[in-house]
Amino acid sequence: MKVLVIGSGVVGVVCAYYLRRDGHDVTVLERQPAPARETSYANGGQISWGAAQPWAAPGTFGKAIHWLFRPHSPLIWRPRADPAMWSWLWQFARQCTAERFDRHRSRLWRLARLSHDELVGLRHDTGIHYREQTRGTLLLYRSTREFDEAMAGAGLVQREGIRCQPLDERGCIAHEPALARASAKIAGGLLYPDDESGDCRLFTETLATRLKQDGVTLRFSTQVNKLVTEGSRVVRVETDRGTYTADAYVVAGGSYTPLLLRPLGIRLPVYPLKGYSLTVPITRPEAAPLGSLTDETYKVVMTRLGDVLRAAGTAELSGYDLSLPRSRLATIAHAVRTLFPDAGDLSRAEPWSGLRPMTPDNVPVLGPTPFTNLYLNTGHGSLGWTLACGSGRMLADWLAGRVPAVEPDGLTLARFT
């Protein structure tokens, strides 16, 4: 079968890998000049399948209001006359109940567990390297109240068969010795030892190179303008570099997917939440973390990638704005400075911003659409790399007519219609 994939971030490239593995003739269209040039470019570097949690949780709105008035807030909201923004916020608020949070978390874990298993297999089959580390993810808490709240939920995680190890301050420092230099108080942490980390951009670029060698066609600097349909099928894709046809089409366009689908009458509740990162040159290796951790107080991820420290965070609701004001990076710099004060040179840090494609329930949208040969692979939010391999495997199952690897209920467009 001839399959066309729109988008070459980590989700699109991994999807192309699974489709090609099934023997399909695969073409990837990408508007950027190379793969992983948008949201996959400089993210936090975590593959946090065990620690995955929906953002839509009980009490989230109360915390959000409190955050807005903090000097180092993990949340920024810039209201604008955008119906899609207000609709998304209303739908997000409706998901913040205990019952819905549990349901969405179960769906995330189902897909995340598959995704991790598939990533291990992909790494074994391809032999690719991407500064990967398999020493887990540490969720770090600065206040006793935050740590106690996290401990209350740790039992459920363990009952789901996910390894989760509570650590006191000494245990956190034993796992990450550089934390002994922290000027911030450490109340405790939760270690997810089966989580991983690495360089998402390097992973995506390396896999794309491998796909090209295996016969996948990658068309860069190609802007998709329109999906053209006849009856219940997509018949072609119109771009600024000509027309493309296929037997099946997969849209993996991240935050821009709803804009492409809207003319087809598909209302996809995916909205961009902007994130920022700093890539800091490490000047004292012994003062930097060995692996990956999340500062849960400021919601900042820090991951060591060879000789640099990647620090990423902030959730900014501001539409499709990709500007990079230095003031937005203050919280990230503060988190690094207080936990790893001597690790690197923040004055030479490389700033970046990207748009996370978020659904109101924080679960991606996969699989079939009202058009018989059009499929979705989008809405992964902050868990794009974490969920990419599971999503790609499921898309390949659908196109091959196989039963999907895990139960698809709650993962498809049907839950919104």
Side-chain angles (χ1 to χ4, degrees), residues 19-20 23 25 38 235 240 256 353 359 372 376 381 387 391 417:
L19 293 168
R20 182 58 186 156
D25 177 3
E38 297 196 19
V235 293
D240 61 351
Y256 297 90
S353 68
T359 59
T372 57
L376 302 181
L387 302 175
S391 301
T417 57

Side-chain angles (χ1 to χ4, degrees), residues 91-294:
Q91 293 181 70
F92 178 83
R94 293 184 63 228
Q95 306 305 320
C96 295
T97 67
E99 178 186 356
R100 292 182 178 183
F101 173 76
D102 288 343
R103 182 164 66 241
H104 304 327
R105 179 169 57 181
S106 176
R107 291 168 177 173
L108 273 182
W109 280 342
R110 185 197 322 157
L111 181 60
R113 192 187 307 270
L114 168 68
S115 195
H116 179 254
D117 291 344
E118 289 292 334
L119 173 63
V120 172
L122 183 153
R123 190 166 58 228
H124 177 269
D125 293 343
T126 63
I128 66 173
H129 294 286
Y130 44 91
R131 302 189 183 98
E132 67 275 11
Q133 294 222 45
T134 57
R135 61 190 318 272
T137 293
L138 175 64
L139 305 189
L140 196 70
Y141 300 89
R142 297 179 184 236
S143 80
T144 302
R145 180 183 58 80
E146 290 175 331
F147 183 48
D148 289 344
E149 289 177 357
M151 286 288 291
L156 173 62
V157 174
Q158 292 166 334
R159 287 193 295 275
E160 287 286 329
I162 298 170
R163 292 203 296 160
C164 174
Q165 181 181 351
L167 302 176
D168 59 12
E169 181 181 10
R170 266 196 238 176
C172 292
I173 293 173
H175 181 73
E176 286 290 359
L179 286 171
R181 296 172 168 83
S183 60
K185 178 181 180 294
I186 298 172
L190 294 177
L191 175 63
Y192 289 82
D194 297 321
D195 283 3
E196 301 188 10
S197 62
D199 188 329
C200 183
R201 185 182 101 186
L202 180 59
F203 171 86
T204 308
E205 290 175 339
T206 305
L207 186 58
T209 299
R210 178 67 177 263
L211 290 179
K212 187 175 180 180
Q213 295 168 350
D214 288 345
V216 172
T217 301
L218 296 108
R219 301 292 188 201
F220 297 115
S221 301
T222 302
Q223 173 68 49
V224 174
N225 296 323
K226 186 179 181 181
L227 297 174
V228 179
T229 63
E230 290 181 4
S232 62
R233 294 179 58 83
V234 174
V235 293
R236 64 181 182 274
V237 169
E238 295 181 355
T239 78
D240 61 351
R241 294 197 166 193
T243 297
Y244 291 82
T245 61
D247 302 305
Y249 301 80
V250 178
V251 184
S255 296
Y256 297 90
T257 302
L259 307 183
L260 193 58
L261 298 181
R262 196 172 298 161
L264 306 186
I266 299 175
R267 301 294 175 179
L268 183 66
V270 169
Y271 199 77
L273 261 69
K274 188 177 179 182
Y276 295 85
S277 77
L278 289 171
T279 302
V280 186
I282 294 175
T283 53
R284 294 186 61 191
E286 73 280 5
L290 298 173
S292 184
L293 61 89
T294 300

Side-chain angles (χ1 to χ4, degrees), residues 61 68 77-95 262 269-273 317-320 360:
F61 264 82
L68 289 173
W77 181 30
R78 292 167 55 194
R80 56 179 60 200
D82 180 357
M85 174 188 285
W86 293 98
S87 174
W88 187 91
L89 277 170
W90 176 76
Q91 293 181 70
F92 178 83
R94 293 184 63 228
Q95 306 305 320
R262 196 172 298 161
V270 169
Y271 199 77
L273 261 69
L317 197 60
S318 57
Y320 289 85

